[in-house]
Amino acid sequence: MPMDKLADDLSAVLAQADALLARAQTEGPEAARQIQAQVEEKLAQARAQLSSLEGEAAEKARAMKQATEAYVQTNPWQAVGIAAAVGFVLGVLVSRR
């Protein structure tokens, strides 16, 4: 699930929760309890989506770590050269400030 889709989904959940809370202020206590249950359900759905996204991100991070480790093990001198070049560029950029 892309981050844009998640942001849109969370915005929709918040908008729905706001609408339900506004409705709860104008209706009686029984309706307020029903609305509260609906808001809780929407929040549970949002939490489930976040949890799913967290799991996917962790899996991608593990895969990237393994790929990086494999590359460094098969090409150690290239990895050292790349790290040195990146360090040099960052040093030049920081020293200009």
Side-chain angles (χ1 to χ4, degrees):
M1 175 184 290
M3 291 298 289
D4 292 338
K5 171 96 168 87
L6 179 64
D8 291 344
D9 288 350
L10 289 177
S11 293
V13 166
L14 291 174
Q16 291 171 356
D18 283 340
L20 290 170
L21 290 173
R23 218 178 87 203
Q25 291 176 349
T26 61
E27 297 185 17
E30 181 58 35
R33 280 191 284 280
Q34 291 174 352
I35 291 169
Q36 180 182 3
Q38 291 174 348
V39 168
E40 289 173 355
E41 180 182 339
K42 297 289 183 188
L43 291 175
Q45 290 171 357
R47 284 188 196 104
Q49 287 178 333
L50 285 173
S51 178
S52 173
L53 183 65
E54 180 183 12
E56 290 174 20
E59 184 59 36
K60 287 180 184 178
R62 276 191 288 279
M64 289 177 66
K65 177 184 175 235
Q66 289 172 348
T68 302
E69 287 176 349
Y71 178 82
V72 169
Q73 287 176 356
T74 57
N75 304 299
W77 289 109
Q78 285 179 330
V80 169
I82 291 169
V86 169
F88 177 75
V89 170
L90 288 175
V92 168
L93 291 174
V94 169
S95 68
R96 288 188 175 182
R97 288 184 172 195

